[in-house]
Structures are given as C-alpha cells and as structure tokens.
C-alpha cells in the first residue's frame, strides 16, 4: 500500500469496535471483515472500483441487529477519508458517475466541499437481501457523508433487484470518489475561491 494519502483510525463504543485503514492512491486491494457477508461484499466492490486500498475490521453487536455495525463503519470510513485527503490541494474535488447494473441505473455525484449534505433517492420498501436490510445502505451513506464532510447526491433512476441496486450504489460511489480524489495538474492549490475546503 502506498505511503501517500493514508489514514487509519479506531473507534470503540459499547456497541462496536471499528478499525479502518485507507490509502487513496492505492490499487483497489482490500481486507474487509465486518461480520456481515453482504456488507463485506459491497465494501470490497467499493475498494476495487475506487482503487482505494481498504483494511476494515469491525466487531459489532450483531446479535442485536446490523444497524450499529453498518452505521459505525460509515462514521469511521468517513473520518479516515477526510484525514487522508488532507487540505485537498490539487484535487479535482467533484466526482460523478452514471452506473448501470443490469436493469438498474444509479446516479452519484459528490463534492469534497468540507460541508456535509446528503440526498438519497431510492425506492421504498426494497426487500431484504438475505438478512441485510436495504435501508441500512442509506444509514451507511449518511454516516459516511457527514463524517467525511462532503456533499453526496445519490439517486436510483430505475431498478428492481435489490442486490443490483445495492451493487450499483457502491460501484457508482466508488467511481465518483475516484474521480473527485484524483490530482489535476492544472489545479494550483486548493480548488476553491475561498482558498480552503
């Protein structure tokens, strides 16, 4: 894993222990264990398609439900991304993706603005994917955007299969992050007229 743009954090509460290391300038390698196989699969896809290297180890109160584990993973991953990005000098800042996944089409746009805003447009009452409630994806994304201090707009433009919609979300998020975090040689300093993000 690269030495550039790296962060690692641990967070422990009475509900979860979360340890995450992220390398933005990576190759998409990952080692992910949350205790929730479907969530592991989605985070692996995120790593693969963003080209971020991720090491995630989570131990949560899964006997209660999956909510605390999923949300707290979003919290720590968001904080890691904010730390790894540093002052954001030279980056593109904006990223977007229109991601097809079979019958599903997902639109994702992000702004690494330093301000948190989250818009989520998805069908209501999507059936669980095995034991994984689809609504947990919204909780993960809200925690991620809030703790990474970024704007995140996500809409499922059409879709029927819950697995395809979830996969489209995580792949689209990955591609948007990849674009926003890339260095642009034309950008001098921080990409903001305020001089900071």
């Amino acid at each position: 894993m690269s030495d550039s743009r790296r962060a690692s954090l641990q967070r422990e509460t009475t509900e979860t222990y979360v340890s995450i290391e992220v390398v933005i300038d990576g190759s998409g390698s990952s080692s992910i264990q949350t205790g929730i196989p479907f969530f592991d699969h989605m985070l692996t896809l995120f790593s693969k398609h963003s080209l971020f290297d991720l090491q995630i180890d989570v131990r949560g109160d899964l006997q209660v439900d999956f909510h605390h584990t999923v949300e707290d993973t979003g919290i720590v991953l968001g904080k890691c991304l904010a730390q790894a990005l540093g002052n954001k000098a030279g980056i593109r800042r904006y990223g977007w993706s229109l991601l097809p996944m079979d019958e599903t089409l997902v639109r994702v746009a992000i702004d690494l603005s330093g301000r948190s805003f989250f818009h989520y447009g998805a069908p209501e009452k999507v059936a669980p994917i095995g034991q994984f409630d689809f609504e947990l994806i919204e909780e993960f994304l809200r925690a991620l955007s809030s703790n990474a201090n970024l704007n995140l707009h996500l809409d499922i433009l059409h879709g029927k299969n819950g697995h395809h919609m979830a996969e489209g979300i995580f792949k689209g998020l990955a591609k948007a992050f990849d674009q926003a975090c890339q260095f642009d040689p034309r950008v001098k300093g921080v990409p903001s007229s305020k001089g900071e993000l």
Side-chain angles (χ1 to χ4, degrees), residues 6-194:
R6 168 197 300 263
S8 60
L9 291 171
Q10 292 78 42
R11 179 179 186 263
E12 187 168 7
T13 72
T14 58
E15 297 168 342
T16 62
Y17 167 82
V18 181
S19 175
I20 296 180
E21 180 177 357
V22 60
V23 177
I24 290 175
D25 304 302
S27 62
S29 67
S30 62
S31 173
I32 297 170
Q33 297 180 6
T34 67
I36 307 171
F38 182 77
F39 191 39
D40 292 352
H41 177 44
M42 293 299 105
L43 292 169
T44 300
L45 291 175
F46 175 77
S47 172
K48 183 73 172 178
H49 292 281
S50 65
L51 299 175
F52 294 174
D53 293 343
L54 287 180
Q55 292 183 6
I56 299 178
D57 180 28
V58 185
R59 281 161 265 158
D61 54 357
L62 301 181
Q63 73 282 1
V64 176
D65 70 6
F66 294 169
H67 184 279
H68 298 144
T69 294
V70 171
E71 182 178 38
D72 289 4
T73 300
I75 290 171
V76 179
L77 181 57
K79 290 180 183 298
C80 270
L81 288 169
Q83 182 177 318
L85 282 166
N87 70 357
K88 305 173 191 168
I91 65 166
R92 296 187 187 276
R93 174 177 169 177
Y94 298 99
W96 56 88
S97 174
L98 194 61
L99 199 291
M101 180 66 197
D102 294 346
E103 89 295 342
T104 295
L105 186 64
V106 178
R107 180 177 61 207
V108 182
I110 63 174
D111 175 10
L112 302 176
S113 62
R115 301 181 306 278
S116 174
F117 182 84
F118 177 53
H119 163 77
Y120 182 73
E124 294 183 3
K125 299 181 180 177
V126 177
I129 305 161
Q131 295 181 308
F132 188 88
D133 289 332
F134 189 85
E135 65 186 21
L136 290 174
I137 295 173
E138 181 178 1
E139 297 306 314
F140 169 77
L141 295 171
R142 179 176 289 107
L144 177 72
S145 63
S146 176
N147 287 276
N149 295 316
L150 57 86
N151 282 195
L152 170 57
H153 293 254
L154 189 148
D155 290 282
I156 297 176
L157 301 181
H158 47 83
K160 294 181 180 178
N161 182 285
H163 191 126
H164 293 166
M165 288 190 283
E167 195 162 321
I169 287 169
F170 278 85
K171 287 179 176 177
L173 184 69
K175 298 310 290 183
F177 263 109
D178 177 35
Q179 184 182 52
C181 294
Q182 287 177 16
F183 288 113
D184 185 334
R186 298 169 300 169
V187 175
K188 306 303 180 188
V190 176
S192 170
S193 59
K194 295 190 296 291

